[in-house]
Amino acid sequence: MKKCVFAGSFDPPTTGHKKIIDDCLKIFDKVTVAVMVNPKKVCLLESEERAALLKKLYENDGRVKVITYQGAAADLLNSENTPFYVRGIRDGIDLDYENRDRLATQKFKSDLVTVYLPADRENLEVSSSLVKNCIKFKKDFSDYIPKEILEDFKTLLERKNV
């Protein structure tokens, strides 16, 4: 059985994230989606809230496991017993960043296999930062959040008075 890890902040989970996970499921038998916890990063949502949204998104698919994780990608891959690390790529800037990260991670996990999945046309501009800017400037963000979790996300925002 082949499994992979797709890690990120998912603050919040977007249609772009969902597309990458869906593409992973076409390649791998199991996908671990890791909500990464960075104590130095100020997030809109708590890690548990981000994980809950992702769990709801894939609640009927036993091939997807959602976890929260604080630590290095190499350690995460070791704990998940897989060398396959999936990264979504929107453009050349993403590719440059991810390639540098891959080289650094390879120092700690020599069997690392990084799989780059390109964004489709509809998700080229989609990012969690875009959603947060839409919220900040009171613009509609509904096209960027998967419909299965849109209302849950809006409820979280209301609770936070955002």
Side-chain angles (χ1 to χ4, degrees):
M1 173 176 27
K2 295 281 188 205
K3 70 178 184 175
C4 70
V5 168
F6 177 47
S9 61
F10 304 104
D11 187 41
T14 66
T15 54
H17 293 131
K18 182 178 185 308
K19 175 68 167 108
I20 295 297
I21 296 166
D22 291 347
D23 285 350
C24 286
L25 291 168
K26 294 174 185 174
I27 302 168
F28 298 95
D29 301 309
K30 296 240 180 216
V31 179
T32 297
V33 179
V35 175
M36 300 302 277
V37 179
N38 181 348
K40 294 181 180 178
K41 187 174 183 181
V42 177
C43 290
L44 176 65
L45 302 176
E46 298 297 322
S47 59
E48 297 80 15
E49 294 169 326
R50 294 177 267 150
L53 289 171
L54 287 161
K55 285 177 183 176
K56 179 170 184 180
L57 192 55
Y58 289 95
E59 65 188 347
N60 296 319
D61 195 329
R63 300 173 298 163
V64 177
K65 175 172 89 170
V66 178
I67 63 170
T68 58
Y69 192 82
Q70 184 173 338
D75 297 332
L76 169 61
L77 291 162
N78 285 334
S79 70
E80 289 299 312
N81 197 29
T82 183
F84 299 108
Y85 192 40
V86 172
R87 308 306 297 150
I89 302 293
R90 290 173 294 220
D91 56 22
I93 294 168
D94 282 352
L95 181 60
D96 287 345
Y97 172 83
E98 294 298 343
N99 241 355
R100 284 190 301 278
D101 190 57
R102 177 184 62 83
L103 293 171
T105 301
Q106 252 179 345
K107 289 181 180 181
F108 305 107
K109 182 154 182 65
S110 61
D111 67 338
L112 174 72
V113 178
T114 305
V115 179
Y116 296 130
L117 294 177
D120 57 6
R121 185 182 318 262
E122 294 79 28
N123 288 303
L124 278 176
E125 83 282 357
V126 176
S127 69
S128 295
S129 296
L130 173 64
V131 173
K132 288 184 265 197
N133 279 337
C134 286
I135 293 166
K136 179 180 178 181
F137 295 111
K138 300 186 182 339
K139 301 296 179 191
D140 181 33
F141 54 81
S142 57
D143 287 343
Y144 310 125
I145 302 292
K147 65 183 180 314
E148 299 90 339
I149 59 171
L150 180 60
E151 292 308 313
D152 298 272
F153 178 58
K154 287 180 178 179
T155 299
L156 286 171
L157 293 177
E158 287 172 14
R159 286 188 195 146
K160 295 174 178 293
N161 294 316
V162 177

